[in-house]
Amino acid sequence: MKITDQTYIYDIDDAFSGKWVNVRFKNGQIKKVFMVDIDFDNDISEAIVYNTTGSFSYGNAIYLKDVDQIEVTSKD
């Protein structure tokens, strides 16, 4: 899913929460993470809450303003 200013945040949550995803940043970097949730009320901007363990416990944040694309991937 391409992420733009017009991307509906609930669509991201519905499509990717609880799944392993590749997050492609606007700078070209790719990071494989387990997406736990979307932080809708962040002071800076909306963010993906993720970890690298596959659990539903909260971890770090990736700000959507930095993301170009998100794709579902396998754990391996």
Side-chain angles (χ1 to χ4, degrees):
M1 173 186 285
K2 182 81 168 166
I3 307 301
T4 68
D5 292 340
Q6 289 76 38
T7 303
Y8 191 52
I9 196 164
Y10 292 104
D11 289 341
I12 298 170
D13 190 48
D14 289 343
F16 302 111
S17 287
K19 296 179 181 167
W20 285 94
V21 297
N22 282 331
V23 176
R24 182 181 308 271
F25 294 87
K26 290 180 180 174
N27 68 6
Q29 177 188 4
I30 298 173
K31 185 169 191 158
K32 185 177 186 174
V33 300
F34 182 77
M35 189 172 139
V36 177
D37 200 358
I38 292 280
D39 184 353
F40 299 100
D41 300 319
N42 194 294
D43 293 337
I44 298 172
S45 76
E46 290 85 11
I48 295 169
V49 178
Y50 77 94
N51 62 50
T52 57
T53 64
S55 73
F56 281 94
S57 62
Y58 281 77
N60 298 311
I62 297 173
Y63 296 108
L64 288 176
K65 64 182 178 68
D66 298 329
V67 175
D68 180 55
Q69 188 172 343
I70 304 171
E71 300 172 341
V72 174
T73 186
S74 65
K75 183 179 177 187
D76 298 332

Coordinates of all heavy atoms in Angstrom, one line a residue:
M1 N 0.8 -1.2 0.0 CA 0.0 0.0 0.0 C 0.9 1.2 0.0 O 1.8 1.4 0.9 CB -0.9 0.0 1.2 CG -1.7 1.3 1.4 SD -2.6 1.4 3.0 CE -4.0 0.2 2.6
K2 N 0.7 2.1 -1.0 CA 1.4 3.4 -1.0 C 0.8 4.3 0.0 O -0.4 4.4 0.2 CB 1.2 3.9 -2.4 CG 1.9 5.2 -2.6 CD 3.4 5.0 -2.9 CE 4.0 6.3 -3.4 NZ 5.4 6.2 -3.4
I3 N 1.6 5.0 0.8 CA 1.2 5.8 1.8 C 1.4 7.3 1.4 O 2.5 7.7 1.0 CB 2.0 5.6 3.1 CG1 2.0 4.2 3.6 CG2 1.5 6.5 4.3 CD1 0.6 3.6 3.8
T4 N 0.3 8.0 1.4 CA 0.3 9.4 1.0 C -0.5 10.2 2.0 O -1.0 9.7 3.0 CB -0.4 9.6 -0.4 OG1 -1.8 9.4 -0.3 CG2 0.2 8.8 -1.5
D5 N -0.5 11.5 1.8 CA -1.3 12.4 2.7 C -2.8 12.0 2.7 O -3.5 12.3 3.7 CB -1.1 13.9 2.4 CG 0.3 14.3 2.7 OD1 1.0 13.7 3.5 OD2 0.7 15.4 2.1
Q6 N -3.2 11.4 1.6 CA -4.7 11.1 1.5 C -5.0 9.7 2.0 O -6.1 9.3 1.9 CB -5.1 11.3 0.0 CG -5.2 12.7 -0.4 CD -3.9 13.3 -0.7 OE1 -3.0 12.7 -1.2 NE2 -3.7 14.6 -0.3
T7 N -4.0 8.9 2.4 CA -4.2 7.6 2.8 C -5.0 7.6 4.1 O -4.7 8.3 5.1 CB -2.9 6.8 3.1 OG1 -2.1 6.8 1.9 CG2 -3.2 5.4 3.5
Y8 N -6.1 6.8 4.1 CA -7.0 6.8 5.3 C -6.3 5.9 6.4 O -6.1 4.7 6.1 CB -8.4 6.2 4.9 CG -9.5 6.3 5.9 CD1 -9.7 7.5 6.5 CD2 -10.2 5.2 6.2 CE1 -10.8 7.6 7.4 CE2 -11.2 5.3 7.1 CZ -11.5 6.5 7.7 OH -12.5 6.6 8.7
I9 N -6.1 6.4 7.5 CA -5.3 5.8 8.6 C -6.0 4.5 9.0 O -5.3 3.5 9.3 CB -5.0 6.7 9.7 CG1 -3.9 6.2 10.6 CG2 -6.3 7.1 10.5 CD1 -3.3 7.2 11.5
Y10 N -7.3 4.4 9.0 CA -8.0 3.2 9.4 C -7.8 2.1 8.4 O -7.8 0.9 8.8 CB -9.5 3.5 9.7 CG -9.7 4.4 10.9 CD1 -10.0 5.7 10.7 CD2 -9.6 3.9 12.2 CE1 -10.2 6.5 11.8 CE2 -9.7 4.7 13.3 CZ -10.1 6.0 13.1 OH -10.2 6.8 14.2
D11 N -7.6 2.4 7.2 CA -7.3 1.4 6.1 C -5.9 0.7 6.4 O -5.8 -0.5 6.3 CB -7.3 2.0 4.7 CG -8.7 2.3 4.3 OD1 -9.7 1.8 4.8 OD2 -8.8 3.2 3.3
I12 N -5.0 1.5 6.9 CA -3.7 1.0 7.2 C -3.8 0.0 8.4 O -3.3 -1.1 8.4 CB -2.7 2.1 7.6 CG1 -2.4 3.0 6.4 CG2 -1.3 1.5 8.1 CD1 -1.7 4.3 6.7
D13 N -4.6 0.5 9.4 CA -4.8 -0.4 10.6 C -5.5 -1.7 10.2 O -5.0 -2.7 10.7 CB -5.6 0.4 11.6 CG -5.7 -0.2 13.0 OD1 -4.7 -0.6 13.5 OD2 -6.8 -0.3 13.5
D14 N -6.5 -1.6 9.4 CA -7.3 -2.8 9.0 C -6.4 -3.8 8.2 O -6.5 -5.0 8.4 CB -8.5 -2.4 8.2 CG -9.6 -1.8 9.1 OD1 -9.6 -1.9 10.3 OD2 -10.5 -1.1 8.4
A15 N -5.6 -3.2 7.4 CA -4.8 -4.1 6.4 C -3.6 -4.7 7.1 O -3.2 -5.8 6.7 CB -4.4 -3.3 5.2
F16 N -3.0 -4.0 8.1 CA -1.6 -4.5 8.5 C -1.5 -4.8 10.0 O -0.5 -5.4 10.4 CB -0.6 -3.4 8.1 CG -0.6 -3.2 6.6 CD1 -1.0 -2.0 6.1 CD2 -0.1 -4.2 5.8 CE1 -1.0 -1.7 4.8 CE2 -0.1 -3.9 4.4 CZ -0.5 -2.7 3.9
S17 N -2.4 -4.4 10.8 CA -2.3 -4.7 12.3 C -2.2 -6.2 12.5 O -3.1 -6.9 12.0 CB -3.4 -4.0 13.1 OG -3.2 -2.6 13.1
G18 N -1.3 -6.6 13.3 CA -1.1 -8.0 13.7 C -0.4 -8.8 12.6 O -0.5 -10.1 12.6
K19 N 0.3 -8.2 11.7 CA 1.0 -8.9 10.6 C 2.4 -8.4 10.5 O 2.8 -7.3 10.9 CB 0.3 -8.6 9.2 CG -1.2 -9.1 9.2 CD -1.8 -8.8 7.9 CE -3.3 -9.3 7.9 NZ -4.0 -8.8 6.9
W20 N 3.2 -9.3 9.9 CA 4.6 -8.9 9.6 C 4.6 -8.1 8.3 O 3.9 -8.5 7.3 CB 5.4 -10.2 9.4 CG 5.8 -10.8 10.7 CD1 5.1 -11.9 11.3 CD2 6.9 -10.5 11.6 NE1 5.7 -12.2 12.5 CE2 6.8 -11.3 12.7 CE3 7.9 -9.5 11.5 CZ2 7.7 -11.3 13.7 CZ3 8.8 -9.5 12.6 CH2 8.7 -10.3 13.7
V21 N 5.3 -7.0 8.3 CA 5.3 -6.1 7.1 C 6.7 -5.6 6.8 O 7.5 -5.6 7.7 CB 4.3 -4.9 7.3 CG1 2.9 -5.4 7.5 CG2 4.8 -4.0 8.5
N22 N 6.9 -5.3 5.6 CA 8.0 -4.5 5.1 C 7.6 -3.1 5.0 O 6.6 -2.8 4.3 CB 8.6 -5.0 3.8 CG 9.3 -6.3 3.9 OD1 10.0 -6.6 4.9 ND2 9.3 -7.1 2.8
V23 N 8.3 -2.2 5.7 CA 8.0 -0.8 5.7 C 9.1 -0.2 4.8 O 10.3 -0.3 5.1 CB 8.0 -0.2 7.1 CG1 7.8 1.3 7.0 CG2 6.9 -0.8 8.0
R24 N 8.7 0.4 3.7 CA 9.7 1.1 2.9 C 9.6 2.6 3.2 O 8.5 3.2 3.1 CB 9.4 0.9 1.4 CG 10.4 1.6 0.5 CD 10.0 1.4 -1.0 NE 9.8 0.0 -1.3 CZ 10.8 -0.9 -1.7 NH1 12.0 -0.5 -1.9 NH2 10.5 -2.1 -2.0
F25 N 10.7 3.2 3.6 CA 10.8 4.6 3.9 C 11.0 5.4 2.7 O 11.4 4.9 1.7 CB 11.9 4.8 4.9 CG 11.7 4.2 6.3 CD1 12.1 2.9 6.5 CD2 11.1 4.9 7.3 CE1 11.9 2.3 7.7 CE2 10.9 4.3 8.5 CZ 11.3 3.0 8.7
K26 N 10.7 6.7 2.8 CA 10.9 7.6 1.7 C 12.3 7.7 1.3 O 12.6 8.0 0.1 CB 10.3 9.0 2.1 CG 8.8 9.0 2.2 CD 8.3 10.4 2.6 CE 6.7 10.3 2.7 NZ 6.1 11.5 3.2
N27 N 13.3 7.4 2.2 CA 14.7 7.5 1.8 C 15.1 6.2 1.1 O 16.3 6.0 0.9 CB 15.5 7.8 3.0 CG 15.5 6.7 4.1 OD1 15.0 5.6 3.9 ND2 16.1 6.9 5.2
G28 N 14.2 5.2 0.9 CA 14.6 3.9 0.3 C 14.9 2.8 1.2 O 14.9 1.6 0.8
Q29 N 15.1 3.0 2.5 CA 15.4 2.0 3.5 C 14.2 1.1 3.6 O 13.0 1.6 3.6 CB 15.8 2.6 4.8 CG 16.0 1.6 5.9 CD 16.2 2.3 7.3 OE1 16.1 3.5 7.4 NE2 16.5 1.5 8.3
I30 N 14.4 -0.2 3.9 CA 13.3 -1.1 4.2 C 13.5 -1.8 5.5 O 14.6 -2.2 5.8 CB 13.2 -2.2 3.1 CG1 12.9 -1.6 1.7 CG2 12.1 -3.3 3.4 CD1 13.0 -2.6 0.6
K31 N 12.5 -1.8 6.3 CA 12.5 -2.4 7.6 C 11.4 -3.4 7.8 O 10.3 -3.1 7.5 CB 12.4 -1.3 8.7 CG 12.6 -1.9 10.1 CD 12.8 -0.7 11.1 CE 13.3 -1.2 12.4 NZ 13.9 -0.2 13.2
K32 N 11.8 -4.7 8.2 CA 10.8 -5.7 8.5 C 10.4 -5.7 9.9 O 11.2 -5.8 10.8 CB 11.4 -7.1 8.1 CG 10.4 -8.2 8.2 CD 11.1 -9.5 7.7 CE 10.1 -10.6 7.7 NZ 10.7 -11.8 7.1
V33 N 9.0 -5.5 10.2 CA 8.6 -5.4 11.5 C 7.2 -6.1 11.7 O 6.5 -6.4 10.7 CB 8.4 -3.9 11.9 CG1 9.7 -3.2 11.9 CG2 7.3 -3.2 11.1
F34 N 6.8 -6.3 12.9 CA 5.5 -6.8 13.3 C 4.7 -5.6 13.7 O 5.0 -5.0 14.7 CB 5.6 -7.9 14.4 CG 4.2 -8.4 14.7 CD1 3.6 -9.4 13.9 CD2 3.5 -8.0 15.9 CE1 2.4 -10.0 14.3 CE2 2.3 -8.5 16.2 CZ 1.7 -9.5 15.4
M35 N 3.7 -5.3 12.9 CA 2.9 -4.1 13.2 C 1.8 -4.4 14.2 O 0.9 -5.3 14.0 CB 2.2 -3.6 11.9 CG 1.5 -2.3 12.2 SD 0.9 -1.6 10.6 CE -0.6 -0.9 11.2
V36 N 1.9 -3.8 15.4 CA 1.0 -4.0 16.5 C -0.2 -3.2 16.4 O -1.3 -3.7 16.6 CB 1.8 -3.7 17.8 CG1 0.8 -3.8 19.0 CG2 3.0 -4.5 18.0
D37 N -0.1 -1.9 16.0 CA -1.2 -1.0 16.0 C -0.8 0.3 15.3 O 0.3 0.4 14.9 CB -1.5 -0.7 17.5 CG -2.9 -0.2 17.8 OD1 -3.6 0.0 16.8 OD2 -3.2 0.1 19.0
I38 N -1.8 1.2 15.2 CA -1.5 2.5 14.8 C -1.8 3.5 16.0 O -2.7 3.3 16.7 CB -2.5 2.9 13.6 CG1 -2.2 2.1 12.4 CG2 -2.4 4.4 13.4 CD1 -1.1 2.6 11.6
D39 N -0.8 4.4 16.2 CA -1.0 5.4 17.2 C -1.6 6.6 16.6 O -1.0 7.3 15.8 CB 0.4 5.7 17.8 CG 0.3 6.7 19.0 OD1 -0.8 7.2 19.2 OD2 1.3 7.0 19.6
F40 N -2.9 6.8 16.9 CA -3.7 7.9 16.2 C -3.5 9.2 17.0 O -3.7 10.3 16.4 CB -5.2 7.6 16.3 CG -5.5 6.3 15.5 CD1 -5.7 5.1 16.2 CD2 -5.7 6.4 14.2 CE1 -6.1 4.0 15.5 CE2 -6.0 5.2 13.4 CZ -6.2 4.0 14.1
D41 N -3.1 9.2 18.2 CA -3.1 10.4 19.0 C -1.6 10.9 19.3 O -1.4 11.6 20.3 CB -3.8 10.2 20.3 CG -5.3 9.8 20.1 OD1 -5.9 10.4 19.2 OD2 -5.8 8.9 20.7
N42 N -0.7 10.6 18.5 CA 0.7 10.9 18.8 C 0.8 12.4 18.6 O 0.2 13.1 17.8 CB 1.6 10.2 17.8 CG 3.0 10.3 18.2 OD1 3.6 11.4 18.2 ND2 3.6 9.2 18.5
D43 N 1.7 13.0 19.5 CA 1.9 14.5 19.4 C 2.5 15.0 18.1 O 2.2 16.1 17.7 CB 2.8 14.9 20.6 CG 2.1 14.7 22.0 OD1 0.8 14.7 22.0 OD2 2.8 14.6 23.0
I44 N 3.4 14.2 17.5 CA 4.1 14.6 16.3 C 3.3 14.3 15.1 O 3.0 15.1 14.2 CB 5.5 14.0 16.2 CG1 6.3 14.4 17.4 CG2 6.1 14.3 15.0 CD1 7.6 13.7 17.6
S45 N 2.9 13.1 14.9 CA 2.0 12.6 13.8 C 1.6 11.2 14.1 O 2.1 10.6 15.0 CB 2.7 12.8 12.5 OG 3.7 11.7 12.3
E46 N 0.7 10.6 13.2 CA 0.3 9.3 13.4 C 1.6 8.4 13.2 O 2.5 8.7 12.4 CB -0.7 8.9 12.3 CG -2.1 9.5 12.6 CD -2.2 10.9 12.0 OE1 -1.3 11.3 11.2 OE2 -3.2 11.6 12.4
A47 N 1.5 7.2 13.8 CA 2.7 6.3 13.8 C 2.3 4.9 13.8 O 1.2 4.5 14.4 CB 3.6 6.6 15.0
I48 N 3.1 4.0 13.2 CA 3.0 2.6 13.3 C 3.6 2.2 14.6 O 4.8 2.6 14.9 CB 3.7 1.9 12.1 CG1 3.0 2.3 10.8 CG2 3.7 0.4 12.3 CD1 3.8 1.8 9.6
V49 N 3.0 1.4 15.4 CA 3.6 0.8 16.6 C 4.0 -0.6 16.2 O 3.2 -1.3 15.7 CB 2.6 0.8 17.8 CG1 3.2 0.2 19.0 CG2 2.1 2.2 18.1
Y50 N 5.3 -0.9 16.4 CA 5.8 -2.2 16.0 C 6.8 -2.7 17.0 O 7.3 -2.1 17.9 CB 6.5 -2.0 14.6 CG 7.9 -1.3 14.8 CD1 9.0 -2.1 14.8 CD2 8.0 0.1 14.9 CE1 10.3 -1.5 15.0 CE2 9.3 0.6 15.0 CZ 10.4 -0.2 15.1 OH 11.6 0.4 15.2
N51 N 7.1 -4.0 16.7 CA 8.2 -4.7 17.4 C 8.8 -5.7 16.4 O 8.3 -5.8 15.3 CB 7.8 -5.3 18.7 CG 6.8 -6.3 18.6 OD1 6.9 -7.3 17.8 ND2 5.7 -6.2 19.4
T52 N 9.8 -6.4 16.9 CA 10.5 -7.4 16.0 C 10.3 -8.8 16.6 O 11.0 -9.7 16.1 CB 11.9 -7.0 15.7 OG1 12.6 -6.9 17.0 CG2 12.1 -5.7 15.0
T53 N 9.5 -8.9 17.6 CA 9.3 -10.2 18.2 C 8.0 -10.9 17.8 O 7.9 -12.1 18.0 CB 9.2 -10.1 19.8 OG1 8.1 -9.3 20.1 CG2 10.5 -9.4 20.3
G54 N 7.1 -10.2 17.2 CA 5.8 -10.8 16.9 C 4.8 -10.9 18.0 O 3.7 -11.4 17.8
S55 N 5.1 -10.2 19.1 CA 4.1 -10.2 20.1 C 3.2 -8.9 20.0 O 3.6 -8.0 19.3 CB 4.8 -10.2 21.5 OG 5.4 -8.9 21.7
F56 N 2.1 -8.9 20.7 CA 1.3 -7.7 20.7 C 1.6 -6.7 21.7 O 0.9 -5.7 21.9 CB -0.2 -8.1 20.8 CG -0.7 -8.6 19.5 CD1 -0.7 -10.0 19.2 CD2 -1.2 -7.8 18.5 CE1 -1.2 -10.5 18.0 CE2 -1.6 -8.2 17.3 CZ -1.6 -9.6 17.0
S57 N 2.8 -6.8 22.4 CA 3.2 -5.8 23.3 C 3.8 -4.6 22.5 O 4.3 -4.8 21.5 CB 4.2 -6.4 24.3 OG 5.4 -6.8 23.6
Y58 N 3.6 -3.5 23.1 CA 4.1 -2.3 22.3 C 5.6 -2.2 22.3 O 6.3 -2.7 23.2 CB 3.5 -1.0 23.0 CG 2.0 -0.9 22.5 CD1 1.0 -1.6 23.1 CD2 1.7 0.0 21.5 CE1 -0.3 -1.5 22.7 CE2 0.4 0.2 21.1 CZ -0.6 -0.6 21.7 OH -1.9 -0.4 21.2
G59 N 6.1 -1.5 21.3 CA 7.5 -1.4 21.1 C 7.8 0.0 20.7 O 7.6 1.0 21.4
N60 N 8.3 0.1 19.5 CA 8.8 1.4 18.9 C 7.8 2.0 18.0 O 6.8 1.4 17.7 CB 10.1 1.2 18.2 CG 11.2 0.7 19.2 OD1 11.4 1.3 20.2 ND2 11.9 -0.4 18.9
A61 N 8.1 3.2 17.5 CA 7.2 3.8 16.5 C 7.9 4.2 15.3 O 9.1 4.6 15.3 CB 6.6 5.1 17.2
I62 N 7.2 4.1 14.2 CA 7.6 4.6 12.9 C 6.6 5.6 12.4 O 5.4 5.3 12.3 CB 7.7 3.5 11.8 CG1 8.7 2.5 12.2 CG2 8.0 4.1 10.4 CD1 8.8 1.2 11.3
Y63 N 7.0 6.9 12.2 CA 6.0 7.9 11.8 C 5.6 7.7 10.4 O 6.4 7.5 9.5 CB 6.6 9.3 12.1 CG 6.9 9.5 13.5 CD1 8.2 9.5 14.0 CD2 5.8 9.7 14.4 CE1 8.4 9.7 15.4 CE2 6.1 9.9 15.8 CZ 7.3 9.9 16.3 OH 7.6 10.1 17.6
L64 N 4.3 7.8 10.2 CA 3.7 7.6 8.8 C 4.3 8.7 7.9 O 4.4 8.4 6.7 CB 2.2 7.6 8.8 CG 1.6 6.3 9.5 CD1 0.1 6.5 9.5 CD2 2.0 5.1 8.7
K65 N 4.6 9.8 8.3 CA 5.1 10.9 7.5 C 6.5 10.5 6.8 O 6.8 11.0 5.8 CB 5.3 12.2 8.2 CG 6.3 12.2 9.4 CD 6.4 13.5 10.1 CE 7.3 13.5 11.3 NZ 8.7 13.4 10.9
D66 N 7.1 9.5 7.4 CA 8.4 9.0 6.9 C 8.3 7.8 6.0 O 9.2 7.3 5.4 CB 9.4 8.6 8.0 CG 9.7 9.8 8.9 OD1 9.7 10.9 8.4 OD2 9.9 9.6 10.1
V67 N 7.0 7.2 5.9 CA 6.8 5.9 5.2 C 6.3 6.2 3.7 O 5.4 7.0 3.5 CB 5.8 5.1 5.9 CG1 5.4 3.8 5.2 CG2 6.3 4.8 7.3
D68 N 6.9 5.4 2.8 CA 6.5 5.5 1.4 C 5.5 4.4 1.1 O 4.5 4.6 0.4 CB 7.7 5.4 0.5 CG 7.3 5.4 -1.0 OD1 6.7 6.3 -1.4 OD2 7.7 4.4 -1.7
Q69 N 5.7 3.2 1.6 CA 4.9 2.0 1.3 C 5.0 1.0 2.4 O 6.0 0.8 3.1 CB 5.4 1.4 0.0 CG 4.6 0.4 -0.6 CD 5.1 0.0 -2.0 OE1 5.8 0.7 -2.6 NE2 4.7 -1.1 -2.5
I70 N 3.9 0.2 2.5 CA 3.9 -0.9 3.5 C 3.4 -2.1 2.7 O 2.4 -2.1 2.0 CB 2.9 -0.6 4.7 CG1 3.3 0.6 5.4 CG2 2.9 -1.8 5.6 CD1 2.3 1.1 6.4
E71 N 4.0 -3.3 2.9 CA 3.6 -4.5 2.3 C 3.7 -5.7 3.3 O 4.6 -5.7 4.1 CB 4.6 -4.9 1.1 CG 4.7 -3.8 0.1 CD 5.8 -4.2 -0.9 OE1 6.7 -4.9 -0.6 OE2 5.8 -3.6 -2.0
V72 N 2.7 -6.6 3.2 CA 2.7 -7.7 4.1 C 3.8 -8.7 3.6 O 4.1 -8.8 2.4 CB 1.3 -8.5 4.0 CG1 1.3 -9.8 4.7 CG2 0.2 -7.6 4.5
T73 N 4.5 -9.3 4.6 CA 5.5 -10.2 4.3 C 5.4 -11.4 5.2 O 4.5 -11.4 6.1 CB 6.9 -9.6 4.4 OG1 7.9 -10.5 4.0 CG2 7.2 -9.1 5.9
S74 N 6.2 -12.4 5.1 CA 6.2 -13.5 6.0 C 7.2 -13.2 7.2 O 8.0 -12.3 7.0 CB 6.6 -14.8 5.3 OG 8.0 -14.7 4.9
K75 N 7.1 -14.0 8.2 CA 8.0 -13.8 9.3 C 9.5 -14.0 9.0 O 10.4 -13.3 9.4 CB 7.7 -14.6 10.5 CG 8.5 -14.4 11.7 CD 8.2 -15.2 12.9 CE 9.1 -14.9 14.1 NZ 9.0 -15.8 15.2
D76 N 9.7 -15.0 8.1 CA 11.1 -15.3 7.7 C 11.7 -14.4 6.7 O 11.2 -13.8 5.9 CB 11.1 -16.8 7.2 CG 10.7 -17.8 8.3 OD1 10.9 -17.5 9.5 OD2 10.1 -18.8 7.9

